[in-house]
Amino acid sequence: MNYWVLKAESPDGAIIDAMPKDSPTNWKLSKGEPLARQFPMGGKVSFSDHFPDRRKVYDFVRNTVGVLLVSSRVKQVLEELQVDNTEFLPITLCDHQWKPVGKDYGILNVLGSQDVIDMKKSDYDIDPITQKEITRLGNLVLTKDGIDPKAEVFRARDMMELILISDRVQEAFVNAGLTGFVAHPAEGFDDMFA
């Protein structure tokens, strides 16, 4: 089985640079733990003022806060595939003037993680403070025996903001016509060039 690194990418799509008011702190959003009880009901986000010309909205919305911000179409595809380790935290997507442009959006919080990075063969930098988490990844080598064969969408245990998907999910996203994402081949992935 091949795996893919999932990224929200678009040359002209809107960019979000803040989470809804009263959201859990950013670091909690990359822990792979349930957040539905802590997430604000009716939360709103707006297009970044730093990118005034970026107004197009895709199924995957670029952001600077390190989350997967997606449309309900993404949620639907995952439900049809019976992927059960994600939670959808609803938000309202607003333009630069805080006028709603999409209510069927949310943060896709991927729960749990897999031991996927071969720490002996991959090229990476470790956070000097925690001495645990990877801060930069180059030439990713997978430890395929560390990945549950049933895992379809998952976080890399040593770099929790890195989301990987299976061939099956990548194919389903393409077949559904989902927009605003790129799936980079995981083997050899370098986050400096993604």
Side-chain angles (χ1 to χ4, degrees), residues 128-194:
I129 296 170
T130 66
Q131 295 292 311
K132 290 181 183 178
E133 298 210 9
I134 293 174
T135 57
R136 187 204 60 80
L137 181 63
N139 192 30
L140 171 61
V141 177
L142 301 177
T143 58
K144 291 193 179 178
D145 58 341
I147 304 171
D148 181 336
K150 295 178 184 169
E152 301 279 8
V153 178
F154 54 91
R155 295 177 182 274
R157 185 159 298 144
D158 296 300
M159 190 176 188
M160 294 291 280
E161 59 275 355
L162 188 71
I163 308 290
L164 292 95
I165 58 175
S166 68
D167 277 334
R168 182 171 171 251
V169 171
Q170 187 268 350
E171 187 176 304
F173 284 177
V174 170
N175 290 341
L178 297 181
T179 58
F181 80 96
V182 174
H184 301 276
E187 285 288 345
F189 176 75
D190 186 331
D191 64 5
M192 293 294 287
F193 299 103

Side-chain angles (χ1 to χ4, degrees), residues 32-33 68 85-87 108-112 153-155 163:
E33 298 173 357
L68 282 178
N85 67 315
T86 62
E87 65 178 357
L108 185 71
N109 185 23
V110 179
L111 307 176
V153 178
F154 54 91
R155 295 177 182 274
I163 308 290

Side-chain angles (χ1 to χ4, degrees), residues 27-188:
W27 64 267
K28 286 188 176 183
L29 293 164
S30 65
K31 292 304 255 181
E33 298 173 357
L35 292 171
R37 290 184 179 201
Q38 300 171 47
F39 204 76
M41 294 292 287
K44 295 180 180 181
V45 295
S46 74
F47 297 171
S48 173
D49 290 335
H50 298 291
F51 303 94
D53 297 332
R54 306 280 298 256
R55 298 173 180 274
K56 288 193 178 179
V57 179
Y58 295 102
D59 291 305
F60 286 80
V61 181
R62 288 185 66 177
N63 63 84
T64 62
V65 290
V67 298
L68 282 178
L69 180 52
V70 302
S71 73
S72 60
R73 292 182 63 215
V74 176
K75 177 185 174 208
Q76 180 182 353
V77 170
L78 293 174
E79 286 173 350
E80 289 169 1
L81 293 174
Q82 297 181 337
V83 171
D84 62 359
N85 67 315
T86 62
E87 65 178 357
F88 187 77
L89 307 171
I91 59 166
T92 298
L93 197 57
C94 300
D95 67 12
H96 296 90
Q97 285 76 42
W98 287 94
K99 293 179 184 164
V101 294
K103 291 186 179 180
D104 295 331
Y105 280 80
I107 293 166
L108 185 71
N109 185 23
V110 179
L111 307 176
S113 64
Q114 298 285 319
D115 185 15
V116 64
I117 300 173
D118 187 322
M119 301 298 277
K120 292 180 181 171
K121 296 179 182 174
S122 298
D123 177 25
Y124 57 87
D125 291 335
I126 293 284
D127 184 317
I129 296 170
T130 66
Q131 295 292 311
K132 290 181 183 178
E133 298 210 9
I134 293 174
T135 57
R136 187 204 60 80
L137 181 63
N139 192 30
L140 171 61
V141 177
L142 301 177
T143 58
K144 291 193 179 178
D145 58 341
I147 304 171
D148 181 336
K150 295 178 184 169
E152 301 279 8
V153 178
F154 54 91
R155 295 177 182 274
R157 185 159 298 144
D158 296 300
M159 190 176 188
M160 294 291 280
E161 59 275 355
L162 188 71
I163 308 290
L164 292 95
I165 58 175
S166 68
D167 277 334
R168 182 171 171 251
V169 171
Q170 187 268 350
E171 187 176 304
F173 284 177
V174 170
N175 290 341
L178 297 181
T179 58
F181 80 96
V182 174
H184 301 276
E187 285 288 345

